[in-house]
Amino acid sequence: MQSPLTGVSVIDLSRALAGPHAAMMLGDLGADVIKIENPGGGDDSRGWGPPFADPIDPSASRESTYFLAANRNKRSIALNLRAADDRATFEDMVRRADVLIENFRTGVLERLGLGIDHLFQLNPRLVVLSITGFGHDGPEGGRAGYDQIAQGETGLMSLTGPDPENVQRVGTPIADLLAGMYGAFGALAALREAERTGRGSVVRTSLLAAVVGVHAFHATNWTVGGVVGQAQGNHHPSISPYGLFRCGEGAVQVAVGSEKLWRSFCERLGLDPDDSRFATNADRVANRAALVALIEASLSDHTADEALRLLDTAGIPSGIVRSIDDVYRWDQTLSQGLLVDVEHSTLGPIKLPGTPLRFFDVDGEELETSYSAPPTLDGDREELLAELTT
């Protein structure tokens, strides 16, 4: 089996995280991703550390682990798009490409003489994925977009944290990542359309749009129900019991999402399922504080491991909170191909997260995903320039 995007050529003109993440997703699916970087230092995220990974050869440049997280399965060439020769090289690449990804602020490509009209003159079938902070137009379309700023502006931080007075950002750059994921999704749809019509198109998304796109029930709570969501710690605003509960040693997470599960849960923990305060899910949400106290009192004689075994026998969805190092040692993580070994040209053998997707044919045979390490700055220049002459 070939990889799904074998034969697709992608120019990654983006930097930092949202665009590079989208490009990496396409690279994981088999696309040939060519990362265009500034000659003076490359992608900004190459300098985002510590931590950094030191090269085997002390004379080589160290690599930030941040950059390594978003740039597997790519090749790199450094081009100054204001210089005539490099611009000509770039335009030759555009003529051969299927997708171009950029996340400049609105107007930057036009000032470089590489606006959408010019790109389509070079390649009428090109799909252009453009990711901005707050949208390419509108009253604040020109704003720079950084993840934490976007988390605040999109309401995400107002929903995260122990209470409304102590809001928190999400621990990963989730606005960037979601914009990259939506961007890759849109680029694939546009590629399909280009195959059908022979004409390219522009796909636009933003950090703003991506986070608003995952407001889920918080959106309709407000737009339909008139209820404004607020941060309330580790318990679900609309389902109870659903959250993190302290045990005598450690804590467990529990999700009781149906009345059948509620009765099984009560049986295991010695609670009364017919207590009038908790008769329905709505009652349990209204009386959450009292219910949490009862549950934690029942769990106080158990360690987290004991509680998990107890809940598992009743079929209650439950789990623990793992540290990042524990996740990458967990047999289940490893079984899903989520940690892979690659050979980096200057760092030597390193381990990277793998793609979250797995593909199987109709006979159940799994397509083996191939991985290449993130590139060194300009590390593929000779190979890429040679390809342009063929």
Side-chain angles (χ1 to χ4, degrees):
M1 293 174 61
Q2 287 188 322
S3 297
L5 295 185
T6 295
V8 173
S9 176
V10 177
I11 294 176
D12 180 9
L13 196 56
S14 63
R15 68 268 186 251
L17 187 54
H21 189 77
M24 183 175 70
M25 290 178 66
L26 301 181
D28 288 345
L29 296 178
D32 177 21
V33 181
I34 302 169
K35 186 173 182 67
I36 310 295
E37 301 192 66
N38 293 324
D43 189 317
D44 295 338
S45 68
R46 287 188 183 272
W48 288 357
F52 292 96
D54 292 323
I56 297 171
D57 180 353
S59 66
S61 298
R62 63 183 183 171
E63 300 283 348
S64 79
T65 57
Y66 198 113
F67 177 85
L68 297 176
N71 290 284
R72 65 178 178 250
N73 288 335
K74 300 181 185 181
R75 298 187 287 169
S76 170
I77 185 170
L79 297 176
N80 178 0
L81 298 182
R82 298 184 188 278
D85 288 348
D86 281 1
R87 181 188 176 93
T89 296
F90 174 74
E91 291 184 343
D92 281 346
M93 290 180 170
V94 170
R95 291 185 182 97
R96 298 170 176 233
D98 298 294
V99 179
L100 183 144
I101 300 174
E102 63 91 12
N103 62 351
F104 292 111
R105 290 179 66 174
T106 302
V108 170
L109 281 182
E110 286 73 15
R111 290 193 292 274
L112 288 169
L114 295 169
I116 297 300
D117 290 344
H118 182 64
L119 293 174
F120 283 153
Q121 287 174 6
L122 296 170
N123 183 349
R125 291 177 55 90
L126 186 67
V127 169
V128 178
L129 169 59
S130 179
I131 303 176
T132 56
F134 295 91
H136 76 288
D137 53 7
E140 299 186 43
R143 290 181 63 183
Y146 280 82
D147 181 85
Q148 186 159 337
I149 294 170
Q151 286 197 35
E153 291 278 23
T154 59
L156 185 59
M157 287 177 67
S158 76
L159 303 171
T160 309
D163 55 62
E165 286 71 45
N166 295 279
V167 298
Q168 297 276 326
R169 69 178 179 89
V170 176
T172 61
I174 193 67
D176 277 323
L177 296 170
L178 286 169
M181 293 166 68
Y182 273 115
F185 173 73
L188 290 176
L191 270 175
R192 178 67 182 90
E193 180 71 359
E195 290 176 357
R196 188 177 66 84
T197 66
R199 300 184 62 186
S201 59
V202 180
V203 179
R204 299 190 188 278
T205 192
S206 64
L207 276 62
L208 166 63
V211 178
V212 171
V214 296
H215 278 170
F217 60 86
H218 286 293
T220 49
N221 284 356
W222 162 244
T223 62
V224 180
V227 175
V228 178
Q230 294 182 321
Q232 55 183 44
N234 291 315
H235 290 275
H236 199 288
S238 300
I239 308 172
S240 183
Y242 189 129
L244 183 70
F245 298 89
R246 293 188 298 266
C247 302
E249 179 184 320
V252 294
Q253 302 217 86
V254 176
V256 178
S258 70
E259 294 306 311
K260 180 180 179 181
L261 286 175
W262 165 244
R263 302 194 78 83
S264 296
F265 180 75
C266 289
E267 179 182 346
R268 286 299 185 275
L269 268 64
L271 305 178
D272 179 6
D274 298 314
D275 186 317
S276 60
R277 294 173 297 173
F278 315 128
T280 67
N281 179 70
D283 294 326
R284 296 192 289 274
V285 170
N287 296 289
R288 179 184 292 110
L291 180 57
V292 169
L294 285 174
I295 292 171
E296 292 189 339
S298 178
L299 293 174
S300 63
D301 293 332
H302 300 279
T303 66
D305 285 343
E306 291 169 348
L308 287 178
R309 287 194 292 271
L310 179 69
L311 294 167
D312 185 60
T313 61
I316 307 297
S318 56
I320 59 173
V321 177
R322 297 177 186 271
S323 63
I324 290 293
D325 55 332
D326 281 343
V327 171
Y328 287 102
R329 296 188 187 109
W330 188 17
D331 289 343
Q332 187 60 25
T333 299
L334 300 177
S335 76
Q336 301 305 299
L338 295 173
L339 187 66
V340 298
D341 296 299
V342 297
E343 186 73 22
H344 191 277
S345 60
T346 61
L347 303 178
I350 60 174
K351 292 183 181 294
L352 295 177
T355 175
L357 298 173
R358 299 167 69 190
F359 292 86
F360 298 80
D361 66 16
V362 294
D363 297 318
E365 182 178 350
E366 183 170 5
L367 167 65
E368 184 176 350
T369 302
S370 61
Y371 292 95
S372 63
T376 57
L377 176 60
D378 206 30
D380 302 287
R381 168 175 287 275
E382 293 184 9
E383 179 181 54
L384 289 167
L385 292 179
E387 290 175 4
L388 291 177
T389 65
T390 60

